PDB file of all heavy atoms in Angstrom:
ATOM      1  N   LEU A 190     -54.096  89.034  40.624  1.00 97.00           N
ATOM      2  CA  LEU A 190     -54.951  89.246  41.675  1.00 97.00           C
ATOM      3  C   LEU A 190     -56.315  89.884  41.411  1.00 97.00           C
ATOM      4  O   LEU A 190     -57.210  89.900  42.178  1.00 97.00           O
ATOM      5  CB  LEU A 190     -54.266  90.129  42.738  1.00 97.00           C
ATOM      6  CG  LEU A 190     -52.996  89.616  43.448  1.00 97.00           C
ATOM      7  CD1 LEU A 190     -52.261  90.711  44.132  1.00 97.00           C
ATOM      8  CD2 LEU A 190     -53.497  88.560  44.448  1.00 97.00           C
ATOM      9  N   SER A 191     -56.446  90.305  40.168  1.00 97.00           N
ATOM     10  CA  SER A 191     -57.717  91.006  39.724  1.00 97.00           C
ATOM     11  C   SER A 191     -58.869  90.057  39.625  1.00 97.00           C
ATOM     12  O   SER A 191     -58.777  88.836  39.609  1.00 97.00           O
ATOM     13  CB  SER A 191     -57.469  91.718  38.402  1.00 97.00           C
ATOM     14  OG  SER A 191     -57.566  90.760  37.380  1.00 97.00           O
ATOM     15  N   ASN A 192     -60.098  90.622  39.466  1.00 97.00           N
ATOM     16  CA  ASN A 192     -61.267  89.857  39.334  1.00 97.00           C
ATOM     17  C   ASN A 192     -61.266  89.084  38.008  1.00 97.00           C
ATOM     18  O   ASN A 192     -62.165  88.217  37.797  1.00 97.00           O
ATOM     19  CB  ASN A 192     -62.511  90.772  39.432  1.00 97.00           C
ATOM     20  CG  ASN A 192     -62.761  91.154  40.871  1.00 97.00           C
ATOM     21  OD1 ASN A 192     -62.169  90.705  41.816  1.00 97.00           O
ATOM     22  ND2 ASN A 192     -63.595  92.158  40.991  1.00 97.00           N
ATOM     23  N   ASN A 193     -60.374  89.425  37.056  1.00 97.00           N
ATOM     24  CA  ASN A 193     -60.228  88.671  35.844  1.00 97.00           C
ATOM     25  C   ASN A 193     -58.928  87.951  35.737  1.00 97.00           C
ATOM     26  O   ASN A 193     -58.427  87.639  34.660  1.00 97.00           O
ATOM     27  CB  ASN A 193     -60.360  89.675  34.698  1.00 97.00           C
ATOM     28  CG  ASN A 193     -61.754  90.190  34.555  1.00 97.00           C
ATOM     29  OD1 ASN A 193     -62.741  89.476  34.602  1.00 97.00           O
ATOM     30  ND2 ASN A 193     -61.838  91.508  34.353  1.00 97.00           N
ATOM     31  N   GLY A 194     -58.373  87.554  36.915  1.00 97.00           N
ATOM     32  CA  GLY A 194     -57.079  86.910  36.925  1.00 97.00           C
ATOM     33  C   GLY A 194     -57.224  85.452  37.219  1.00 97.00           C
ATOM     34  O   GLY A 194     -57.786  84.674  36.401  1.00 97.00           O
ATOM     35  N   HIS A 195     -56.644  85.041  38.413  1.00 98.00           N
ATOM     36  CA  HIS A 195     -56.574  83.584  38.703  1.00 98.00           C
ATOM     37  C   HIS A 195     -57.033  83.390  40.148  1.00 98.00           C
ATOM     38  O   HIS A 195     -56.874  84.191  41.001  1.00 98.00           O
ATOM     39  CB  HIS A 195     -55.174  83.026  38.503  1.00 98.00           C
ATOM     40  CG  HIS A 195     -54.772  82.913  37.040  1.00 98.00           C
ATOM     41  ND1 HIS A 195     -55.050  81.889  36.286  1.00 98.00           N
ATOM     42  CD2 HIS A 195     -54.085  83.840  36.279  1.00 98.00           C
ATOM     43  CE1 HIS A 195     -54.608  82.098  35.042  1.00 98.00           C
ATOM     44  NE2 HIS A 195     -53.950  83.218  35.080  1.00 98.00           N
ATOM     45  N   LEU A 196     -57.513  82.187  40.395  1.00 98.00           N
ATOM     46  CA  LEU A 196     -58.018  81.836  41.776  1.00 98.00           C
ATOM     47  C   LEU A 196     -56.797  81.595  42.664  1.00 98.00           C
ATOM     48  O   LEU A 196     -55.910  80.740  42.325  1.00 98.00           O
ATOM     49  CB  LEU A 196     -58.848  80.659  41.746  1.00 98.00           C
ATOM     50  CG  LEU A 196     -60.328  80.815  41.328  1.00 98.00           C
ATOM     51  CD1 LEU A 196     -61.092  79.470  41.421  1.00 98.00           C
ATOM     52  CD2 LEU A 196     -61.032  81.862  42.120  1.00 98.00           C
ATOM     53  N   SER A 197     -56.803  82.098  43.873  1.00 98.00           N
ATOM     54  CA  SER A 197     -55.779  81.783  44.836  1.00 98.00           C
ATOM     55  C   SER A 197     -56.155  80.496  45.576  1.00 98.00           C
ATOM     56  O   SER A 197     -57.217  79.962  45.450  1.00 98.00           O
ATOM     57  CB  SER A 197     -55.706  82.882  45.911  1.00 98.00           C
ATOM     58  OG  SER A 197     -56.931  82.885  46.685  1.00 98.00           O
ATOM     59  N   ASN A 198     -55.191  79.941  46.300  1.00 98.00           N
ATOM     60  CA  ASN A 198     -55.491  78.762  47.183  1.00 98.00           C
ATOM     61  C   ASN A 198     -56.675  78.949  48.060  1.00 98.00           C
ATOM     62  O   ASN A 198     -57.605  78.169  48.329  1.00 98.00           O
ATOM     63  CB  ASN A 198     -54.277  78.363  47.956  1.00 98.00           C
ATOM     64  CG  ASN A 198     -53.142  77.879  47.124  1.00 98.00           C
ATOM     65  OD1 ASN A 198     -53.312  77.521  45.958  1.00 98.00           O
ATOM     66  ND2 ASN A 198     -51.956  77.948  47.728  1.00 98.00           N
ATOM     67  N   ASP A 199     -56.720  80.192  48.670  1.00 98.00           N
ATOM     68  CA  ASP A 199     -57.743  80.526  49.613  1.00 98.00           C
ATOM     69  C   ASP A 199     -59.144  80.600  48.877  1.00 98.00           C
ATOM     70  O   ASP A 199     -60.140  80.054  49.460  1.00 98.00           O
ATOM     71  CB  ASP A 199     -57.518  81.881  50.279  1.00 98.00           C
ATOM     72  CG  ASP A 199     -56.297  81.831  51.235  1.00 98.00           C
ATOM     73  OD1 ASP A 199     -56.025  80.729  51.688  1.00 98.00           O
ATOM     74  OD2 ASP A 199     -55.658  82.905  51.432  1.00 98.00           O
ATOM     75  N   ALA A 200     -59.133  81.068  47.687  1.00 97.00           N
ATOM     76  CA  ALA A 200     -60.409  81.118  46.916  1.00 97.00           C
ATOM     77  C   ALA A 200     -60.898  79.753  46.519  1.00 97.00           C
ATOM     78  O   ALA A 200     -62.092  79.452  46.605  1.00 97.00           O
ATOM     79  CB  ALA A 200     -60.241  82.050  45.739  1.00 97.00           C
ATOM     80  N   ALA A 201     -59.921  78.922  46.100  1.00 98.00           N
ATOM     81  CA  ALA A 201     -60.288  77.547  45.806  1.00 98.00           C
ATOM     82  C   ALA A 201     -60.789  76.832  47.030  1.00 98.00           C
ATOM     83  O   ALA A 201     -61.794  76.099  46.944  1.00 98.00           O
ATOM     84  CB  ALA A 201     -59.005  76.827  45.245  1.00 98.00           C
ATOM     85  N   ALA A 202     -60.196  77.081  48.158  1.00 97.00           N
ATOM     86  CA  ALA A 202     -60.677  76.444  49.418  1.00 97.00           C
ATOM     87  C   ALA A 202     -62.097  76.865  49.731  1.00 97.00           C
ATOM     88  O   ALA A 202     -62.915  76.071  50.184  1.00 97.00           O
ATOM     89  CB  ALA A 202     -59.654  76.763  50.561  1.00 97.00           C
ATOM     90  N   LYS A 203     -62.368  78.138  49.501  1.00 96.00           N
ATOM     91  CA  LYS A 203     -63.699  78.675  49.746  1.00 96.00           C
ATOM     92  C   LYS A 203     -64.754  77.933  48.905  1.00 96.00           C
ATOM     93  O   LYS A 203     -65.813  77.550  49.374  1.00 96.00           O
ATOM     94  CB  LYS A 203     -63.764  80.160  49.483  1.00 96.00           C
ATOM     95  CG  LYS A 203     -65.131  80.766  49.646  1.00 96.00           C
ATOM     96  CD  LYS A 203     -65.110  82.236  49.390  1.00 96.00           C
ATOM     97  CE  LYS A 203     -66.527  82.879  49.591  1.00 96.00           C
ATOM     98  NZ  LYS A 203     -66.526  84.330  49.279  1.00 96.00           N
ATOM     99  N   ILE A 204     -64.450  77.748  47.580  1.00 97.00           N
ATOM    100  CA  ILE A 204     -65.293  77.039  46.712  1.00 97.00           C
ATOM    101  C   ILE A 204     -65.533  75.616  47.178  1.00 97.00           C
ATOM    102  O   ILE A 204     -66.656  75.118  47.163  1.00 97.00           O
ATOM    103  CB  ILE A 204     -64.818  77.126  45.237  1.00 97.00           C
ATOM    104  CG1 ILE A 204     -64.896  78.508  44.670  1.00 97.00           C
ATOM    105  CG2 ILE A 204     -65.538  76.110  44.361  1.00 97.00           C
ATOM    106  CD1 ILE A 204     -64.231  78.656  43.280  1.00 97.00           C
ATOM    107  N   VAL A 205     -64.428  74.967  47.492  1.00 96.00           N
ATOM    108  CA  VAL A 205     -64.571  73.487  47.851  1.00 96.00           C
ATOM    109  C   VAL A 205     -65.315  73.436  49.152  1.00 96.00           C
ATOM    110  O   VAL A 205     -66.169  72.503  49.330  1.00 96.00           O
ATOM    111  CB  VAL A 205     -63.146  72.941  47.977  1.00 96.00           C
ATOM    112  CG1 VAL A 205     -63.248  71.535  48.603  1.00 96.00           C
ATOM    113  CG2 VAL A 205     -62.419  72.907  46.659  1.00 96.00           C
ATOM    114  N   GLY A 206     -65.114  74.376  50.085  1.00 95.00           N
ATOM    115  CA  GLY A 206     -65.854  74.322  51.277  1.00 95.00           C
ATOM    116  C   GLY A 206     -67.339  74.449  51.052  1.00 95.00           C
ATOM    117  O   GLY A 206     -68.185  73.810  51.748  1.00 95.00           O
ATOM    118  N   LEU A 207     -67.690  75.412  50.186  1.00 94.00           N
ATOM    119  CA  LEU A 207     -69.131  75.667  49.939  1.00 94.00           C
ATOM    120  C   LEU A 207     -69.762  74.440  49.222  1.00 94.00           C
ATOM    121  O   LEU A 207     -70.916  74.021  49.584  1.00 94.00           O
ATOM    122  CB  LEU A 207     -69.280  76.921  48.957  1.00 94.00           C
ATOM    123  CG  LEU A 207     -68.998  78.267  49.649  1.00 94.00           C
ATOM    124  CD1 LEU A 207     -68.986  79.403  48.615  1.00 94.00           C
ATOM    125  CD2 LEU A 207     -70.062  78.588  50.694  1.00 94.00           C
ATOM    126  N   LEU A 208     -69.045  73.811  48.312  1.00 95.00           N
ATOM    127  CA  LEU A 208     -69.570  72.703  47.623  1.00 95.00           C
ATOM    128  C   LEU A 208     -69.780  71.501  48.596  1.00 95.00           C
ATOM    129  O   LEU A 208     -70.742  70.717  48.566  1.00 95.00           O
ATOM    130  CB  LEU A 208     -68.613  72.276  46.530  1.00 95.00           C
ATOM    131  CG  LEU A 208     -68.533  73.166  45.328  1.00 95.00           C
ATOM    132  CD1 LEU A 208     -67.423  72.716  44.391  1.00 95.00           C
ATOM    133  CD2 LEU A 208     -69.835  73.097  44.524  1.00 95.00           C
ATOM    134  N   SER A 209     -68.773  71.339  49.516  1.00 92.00           N
ATOM    135  CA  SER A 209     -68.834  70.173  50.404  1.00 92.00           C
ATOM    136  C   SER A 209     -69.987  70.236  51.404  1.00 92.00           C
ATOM    137  O   SER A 209     -70.505  69.294  51.966  1.00 92.00           O
ATOM    138  CB  SER A 209     -67.515  70.004  51.171  1.00 92.00           C
ATOM    139  OG  SER A 209     -67.310  71.044  52.073  1.00 92.00           O
ATOM    140  N   GLN A 210     -70.463  71.513  51.656  1.00 90.00           N
ATOM    141  CA  GLN A 210     -71.599  71.680  52.608  1.00 90.00           C
ATOM    142  C   GLN A 210     -72.837  71.898  51.969  1.00 90.00           C
ATOM    143  O   GLN A 210     -73.926  72.090  52.644  1.00 90.00           O
ATOM    144  CB  GLN A 210     -71.192  72.878  53.545  1.00 90.00           C
ATOM    145  CG  GLN A 210     -69.983  72.658  54.442  1.00 90.00           C
ATOM    146  CD  GLN A 210     -70.117  71.488  55.361  1.00 90.00           C
ATOM    147  OE1 GLN A 210     -70.886  71.522  56.297  1.00 90.00           O
ATOM    148  NE2 GLN A 210     -69.418  70.370  54.997  1.00 90.00           N
ATOM    149  N   ASP A 211     -72.894  71.851  50.657  1.00 92.00           N
ATOM    150  CA  ASP A 211     -74.157  72.100  49.915  1.00 92.00           C
ATOM    151  C   ASP A 211     -74.785  70.685  49.728  1.00 92.00           C
ATOM    152  O   ASP A 211     -74.234  69.795  49.055  1.00 92.00           O
ATOM    153  CB  ASP A 211     -73.875  72.710  48.480  1.00 92.00           C
ATOM    154  CG  ASP A 211     -75.154  72.976  47.757  1.00 92.00           C
ATOM    155  OD1 ASP A 211     -76.167  72.510  48.050  1.00 92.00           O
ATOM    156  OD2 ASP A 211     -74.979  73.748  46.751  1.00 92.00           O
ATOM    157  N   ARG A 212     -75.993  70.466  50.307  1.00 89.00           N
ATOM    158  CA  ARG A 212     -76.645  69.164  50.275  1.00 89.00           C
ATOM    159  C   ARG A 212     -77.046  68.813  48.874  1.00 89.00           C
ATOM    160  O   ARG A 212     -77.205  67.613  48.570  1.00 89.00           O
ATOM    161  CB  ARG A 212     -77.809  69.204  51.134  1.00 89.00           C
ATOM    162  CG  ARG A 212     -77.495  69.314  52.689  1.00 89.00           C
ATOM    163  CD  ARG A 212     -78.686  69.281  53.525  1.00 89.00           C
ATOM    164  NE  ARG A 212     -78.392  69.368  54.882  1.00 89.00           N
ATOM    165  CZ  ARG A 212     -79.303  69.393  55.887  1.00 89.00           C
ATOM    166  NH1 ARG A 212     -80.557  69.244  55.579  1.00 89.00           N
ATOM    167  NH2 ARG A 212     -78.939  69.458  57.208  1.00 89.00           N
ATOM    168  N   GLU A 213     -77.137  69.756  47.980  1.00 93.00           N
ATOM    169  CA  GLU A 213     -77.534  69.434  46.609  1.00 93.00           C
ATOM    170  C   GLU A 213     -76.260  69.132  45.721  1.00 93.00           C
ATOM    171  O   GLU A 213     -76.422  68.667  44.583  1.00 93.00           O
ATOM    172  CB  GLU A 213     -78.313  70.574  46.000  1.00 93.00           C
ATOM    173  CG  GLU A 213     -79.612  70.855  46.671  1.00 93.00           C
ATOM    174  CD  GLU A 213     -80.354  71.972  46.053  1.00 93.00           C
ATOM    175  OE1 GLU A 213     -79.848  72.613  45.156  1.00 93.00           O
ATOM    176  OE2 GLU A 213     -81.515  72.249  46.462  1.00 93.00           O
ATOM    177  N   SER A 214     -75.110  69.404  46.207  1.00 95.00           N
ATOM    178  CA  SER A 214     -73.866  69.223  45.443  1.00 95.00           C
ATOM    179  C   SER A 214     -73.621  67.722  45.278  1.00 95.00           C
ATOM    180  O   SER A 214     -73.757  66.934  46.196  1.00 95.00           O
ATOM    181  CB  SER A 214     -72.711  69.861  46.051  1.00 95.00           C
ATOM    182  OG  SER A 214     -71.514  69.550  45.400  1.00 95.00           O
ATOM    183  N   ARG A 215     -73.149  67.334  44.045  1.00 96.00           N
ATOM    184  CA  ARG A 215     -72.773  65.986  43.781  1.00 96.00           C
ATOM    185  C   ARG A 215     -71.261  65.801  43.723  1.00 96.00           C
ATOM    186  O   ARG A 215     -70.815  64.723  43.416  1.00 96.00           O
ATOM    187  CB  ARG A 215     -73.359  65.596  42.441  1.00 96.00           C
ATOM    188  CG  ARG A 215     -74.919  65.420  42.414  1.00 96.00           C
ATOM    189  CD  ARG A 215     -75.343  65.080  40.921  1.00 96.00           C
ATOM    190  NE  ARG A 215     -74.627  63.907  40.481  1.00 96.00           N
ATOM    191  CZ  ARG A 215     -74.587  63.578  39.158  1.00 96.00           C
ATOM    192  NH1 ARG A 215     -75.085  64.421  38.238  1.00 96.00           N
ATOM    193  NH2 ARG A 215     -73.981  62.448  38.748  1.00 96.00           N
ATOM    194  N   VAL A 216     -70.569  66.830  43.995  1.00 97.00           N
ATOM    195  CA  VAL A 216     -69.085  66.854  43.841  1.00 97.00           C
ATOM    196  C   VAL A 216     -68.484  65.925  44.936  1.00 97.00           C
ATOM    197  O   VAL A 216     -68.630  66.180  46.121  1.00 97.00           O
ATOM    198  CB  VAL A 216     -68.472  68.215  43.979  1.00 97.00           C
ATOM    199  CG1 VAL A 216     -66.942  68.131  43.848  1.00 97.00           C
ATOM    200  CG2 VAL A 216     -69.029  69.119  42.824  1.00 97.00           C
ATOM    201  N   THR A 217     -67.757  64.894  44.512  1.00 96.00           N
ATOM    202  CA  THR A 217     -67.105  63.958  45.454  1.00 96.00           C
ATOM    203  C   THR A 217     -65.581  64.023  45.232  1.00 96.00           C
ATOM    204  O   THR A 217     -64.845  63.598  46.140  1.00 96.00           O
ATOM    205  CB  THR A 217     -67.567  62.563  45.324  1.00 96.00           C
ATOM    206  OG1 THR A 217     -67.377  62.151  44.005  1.00 96.00           O
ATOM    207  CG2 THR A 217     -69.076  62.490  45.731  1.00 96.00           C
ATOM    208  N   LYS A 218     -65.145  64.478  44.098  1.00 97.00           N
ATOM    209  CA  LYS A 218     -63.676  64.655  43.836  1.00 97.00           C
ATOM    210  C   LYS A 218     -63.318  65.965  43.257  1.00 97.00           C
ATOM    211  O   LYS A 218     -63.977  66.449  42.255  1.00 97.00           O
ATOM    212  CB  LYS A 218     -63.285  63.534  42.736  1.00 97.00           C
ATOM    213  CG  LYS A 218     -63.352  62.076  43.390  1.00 97.00           C
ATOM    214  CD  LYS A 218     -62.959  61.117  42.249  1.00 97.00           C
ATOM    215  CE  LYS A 218     -62.893  59.671  42.882  1.00 97.00           C
ATOM    216  NZ  LYS A 218     -64.187  59.211  43.322  1.00 97.00           N
ATOM    217  N   VAL A 219     -62.336  66.563  43.789  1.00 98.00           N
ATOM    218  CA  VAL A 219     -61.819  67.835  43.331  1.00 98.00           C
ATOM    219  C   VAL A 219     -60.300  67.685  43.000  1.00 98.00           C
ATOM    220  O   VAL A 219     -59.576  67.233  43.803  1.00 98.00           O
ATOM    221  CB  VAL A 219     -61.971  68.994  44.368  1.00 98.00           C
ATOM    222  CG1 VAL A 219     -61.278  70.279  43.854  1.00 98.00           C
ATOM    223  CG2 VAL A 219     -63.429  69.220  44.705  1.00 98.00           C
ATOM    224  N   VAL A 220     -59.957  68.004  41.770  1.00 98.00           N
ATOM    225  CA  VAL A 220     -58.628  67.944  41.267  1.00 98.00           C
ATOM    226  C   VAL A 220     -58.064  69.390  41.165  1.00 98.00           C
ATOM    227  O   VAL A 220     -58.633  70.189  40.354  1.00 98.00           O
ATOM    228  CB  VAL A 220     -58.466  67.262  39.967  1.00 98.00           C
ATOM    229  CG1 VAL A 220     -57.047  67.118  39.558  1.00 98.00           C
ATOM    230  CG2 VAL A 220     -59.197  65.959  39.929  1.00 98.00           C
ATOM    231  N   LEU A 221     -57.133  69.788  42.022  1.00 98.00           N
ATOM    232  CA  LEU A 221     -56.635  71.123  41.995  1.00 98.00           C
ATOM    233  C   LEU A 221     -55.602  71.283  40.813  1.00 98.00           C
ATOM    234  O   LEU A 221     -54.617  70.513  40.718  1.00 98.00           O
ATOM    235  CB  LEU A 221     -55.954  71.477  43.304  1.00 98.00           C
ATOM    236  CG  LEU A 221     -56.824  71.340  44.508  1.00 98.00           C
ATOM    237  CD1 LEU A 221     -55.974  71.702  45.816  1.00 98.00           C
ATOM    238  CD2 LEU A 221     -57.991  72.305  44.437  1.00 98.00           C
ATOM    239  N   GLY A 222     -55.776  72.304  40.022  1.00 98.00           N
ATOM    240  CA  GLY A 222     -54.927  72.523  38.846  1.00 98.00           C
ATOM    241  C   GLY A 222     -54.421  73.907  38.623  1.00 98.00           C
ATOM    242  O   GLY A 222     -54.799  74.827  39.384  1.00 98.00           O
ATOM    243  N   HIS A 223     -53.829  74.112  37.534  1.00 98.00           N
ATOM    244  CA  HIS A 223     -53.179  75.415  37.129  1.00 98.00           C
ATOM    245  C   HIS A 223     -52.434  76.021  38.225  1.00 98.00           C
ATOM    246  O   HIS A 223     -52.463  77.243  38.576  1.00 98.00           O
ATOM    247  CB  HIS A 223     -54.300  76.375  36.661  1.00 98.00           C
ATOM    248  CG  HIS A 223     -53.886  77.288  35.501  1.00 98.00           C
ATOM    249  ND1 HIS A 223     -52.747  78.058  35.526  1.00 98.00           N
ATOM    250  CD2 HIS A 223     -54.425  77.436  34.325  1.00 98.00           C
ATOM    251  CE1 HIS A 223     -52.682  78.712  34.418  1.00 98.00           C
ATOM    252  NE2 HIS A 223     -53.647  78.353  33.561  1.00 98.00           N
ATOM    253  N   ILE A 224     -51.615  75.177  38.918  1.00 98.00           N
ATOM    254  CA  ILE A 224     -50.842  75.624  40.092  1.00 98.00           C
ATOM    255  C   ILE A 224     -49.553  76.300  39.634  1.00 98.00           C
ATOM    256  O   ILE A 224     -48.786  75.723  38.833  1.00 98.00           O
ATOM    257  CB  ILE A 224     -50.592  74.322  40.905  1.00 98.00           C
ATOM    258  CG1 ILE A 224     -51.813  73.789  41.497  1.00 98.00           C
ATOM    259  CG2 ILE A 224     -49.559  74.702  42.119  1.00 98.00           C
ATOM    260  CD1 ILE A 224     -51.647  72.419  42.203  1.00 98.00           C
ATOM    261  N   SER A 225     -49.332  77.459  40.045  1.00 98.00           N
ATOM    262  CA  SER A 225     -48.188  78.290  39.712  1.00 98.00           C
ATOM    263  C   SER A 225     -46.886  77.650  40.151  1.00 98.00           C
ATOM    264  O   SER A 225     -46.803  77.262  41.305  1.00 98.00           O
ATOM    265  CB  SER A 225     -48.269  79.690  40.142  1.00 98.00           C
ATOM    266  OG  SER A 225     -47.085  80.393  39.894  1.00 98.00           O
ATOM    267  N   GLU A 226     -45.870  77.638  39.231  1.00 97.00           N
ATOM    268  CA  GLU A 226     -44.587  77.147  39.649  1.00 97.00           C
ATOM    269  C   GLU A 226     -43.832  78.106  40.441  1.00 97.00           C
ATOM    270  O   GLU A 226     -42.848  77.786  41.165  1.00 97.00           O
ATOM    271  CB  GLU A 226     -43.754  76.723  38.377  1.00 97.00           C
ATOM    272  CG  GLU A 226     -44.237  75.599  37.591  1.00 97.00           C
ATOM    273  CD  GLU A 226     -43.377  75.246  36.467  1.00 97.00           C
ATOM    274  OE1 GLU A 226     -43.640  75.763  35.376  1.00 97.00           O
ATOM    275  OE2 GLU A 226     -42.410  74.419  36.633  1.00 97.00           O
ATOM    276  N   ASN A 227     -44.152  79.489  40.257  1.00 97.00           N
ATOM    277  CA  ASN A 227     -43.362  80.575  40.933  1.00 97.00           C
ATOM    278  C   ASN A 227     -44.064  81.038  42.107  1.00 97.00           C
ATOM    279  O   ASN A 227     -43.388  81.631  43.046  1.00 97.00           O
ATOM    280  CB  ASN A 227     -43.207  81.711  39.886  1.00 97.00           C
ATOM    281  CG  ASN A 227     -42.345  81.264  38.762  1.00 97.00           C
ATOM    282  OD1 ASN A 227     -41.316  80.782  38.902  1.00 97.00           O
ATOM    283  ND2 ASN A 227     -42.966  81.472  37.480  1.00 97.00           N
ATOM    284  N   ASN A 228     -45.345  80.960  42.247  1.00 98.00           N
ATOM    285  CA  ASN A 228     -46.133  81.554  43.339  1.00 98.00           C
ATOM    286  C   ASN A 228     -46.949  80.586  44.103  1.00 98.00           C
ATOM    287  O   ASN A 228     -47.874  80.979  44.822  1.00 98.00           O
ATOM    288  CB  ASN A 228     -47.048  82.647  42.729  1.00 98.00           C
ATOM    289  CG  ASN A 228     -46.294  83.699  41.929  1.00 98.00           C
ATOM    290  OD1 ASN A 228     -45.395  84.348  42.467  1.00 98.00           O
ATOM    291  ND2 ASN A 228     -46.686  83.880  40.715  1.00 98.00           N
ATOM    292  N   ASN A 229     -46.606  79.299  44.067  1.00 98.00           N
ATOM    293  CA  ASN A 229     -47.339  78.294  44.726  1.00 98.00           C
ATOM    294  C   ASN A 229     -46.489  77.034  44.765  1.00 98.00           C
ATOM    295  O   ASN A 229     -45.485  76.902  44.114  1.00 98.00           O
ATOM    296  CB  ASN A 229     -48.658  78.003  44.042  1.00 98.00           C
ATOM    297  CG  ASN A 229     -49.682  77.541  44.957  1.00 98.00           C
ATOM    298  OD1 ASN A 229     -49.524  77.269  46.207  1.00 98.00           O
ATOM    299  ND2 ASN A 229     -51.017  77.416  44.397  1.00 98.00           N
ATOM    300  N   THR A 230     -46.947  76.048  45.506  1.00 98.00           N
ATOM    301  CA  THR A 230     -46.431  74.654  45.445  1.00 98.00           C
ATOM    302  C   THR A 230     -47.627  73.762  45.421  1.00 98.00           C
ATOM    303  O   THR A 230     -48.715  74.071  45.974  1.00 98.00           O
ATOM    304  CB  THR A 230     -45.451  74.333  46.501  1.00 98.00           C
ATOM    305  OG1 THR A 230     -46.259  74.243  47.820  1.00 98.00           O
ATOM    306  CG2 THR A 230     -44.302  75.313  46.636  1.00 98.00           C
ATOM    307  N   GLU A 231     -47.490  72.533  44.847  1.00 98.00           N
ATOM    308  CA  GLU A 231     -48.565  71.623  44.938  1.00 98.00           C
ATOM    309  C   GLU A 231     -48.956  71.330  46.362  1.00 98.00           C
ATOM    310  O   GLU A 231     -50.120  71.162  46.732  1.00 98.00           O
ATOM    311  CB  GLU A 231     -48.212  70.312  44.200  1.00 98.00           C
ATOM    312  CG  GLU A 231     -48.052  70.450  42.728  1.00 98.00           C
ATOM    313  CD  GLU A 231     -47.862  69.161  41.994  1.00 98.00           C
ATOM    314  OE1 GLU A 231     -47.707  68.085  42.682  1.00 98.00           O
ATOM    315  OE2 GLU A 231     -47.886  69.106  40.757  1.00 98.00           O
ATOM    316  N   GLN A 232     -47.940  71.199  47.313  1.00 98.00           N
ATOM    317  CA  GLN A 232     -48.188  70.799  48.608  1.00 98.00           C
ATOM    318  C   GLN A 232     -48.993  71.921  49.354  1.00 98.00           C
ATOM    319  O   GLN A 232     -49.873  71.657  50.124  1.00 98.00           O
ATOM    320  CB  GLN A 232     -46.911  70.516  49.415  1.00 98.00           C
ATOM    321  CG  GLN A 232     -47.127  69.927  50.741  1.00 98.00           C
ATOM    322  CD  GLN A 232     -47.750  68.516  50.694  1.00 98.00           C
ATOM    323  OE1 GLN A 232     -47.237  67.662  50.067  1.00 98.00           O
ATOM    324  NE2 GLN A 232     -48.849  68.301  51.340  1.00 98.00           N
TER     325      GLN A 232
END
């Protein structure tokens, strides 16, 4: 959970949301990765 740890789903969603609304962004595909087997699910 620390600032030197790992991104949560919510944090990833925030990044994707900012990118999708940035007119200068070229990002069209986001692949979600490093998904925890114990503290998350792909779905």
Side-chain angles (χ1 to χ4, degrees):
L190 291 167
S191 75
N192 288 347
N193 290 314
H195 290 274
L196 283 182
S197 68
N198 295 340
D199 292 336
K203 179 180 179 181
I204 290 175
V205 173
L207 290 171
L208 289 170
S209 67
Q210 295 301 287
D211 184 344
R212 293 183 178 180
E213 296 181 356
S214 173
R215 293 177 53 201
V216 177
T217 58
K218 292 180 174 62
V219 175
V220 184
L221 300 178
H223 217 304
I224 296 169
S225 171
E226 292 182 272
N227 298 304
N228 303 303
N229 208 356
T230 67
E231 289 187 356
Q232 191 65 56

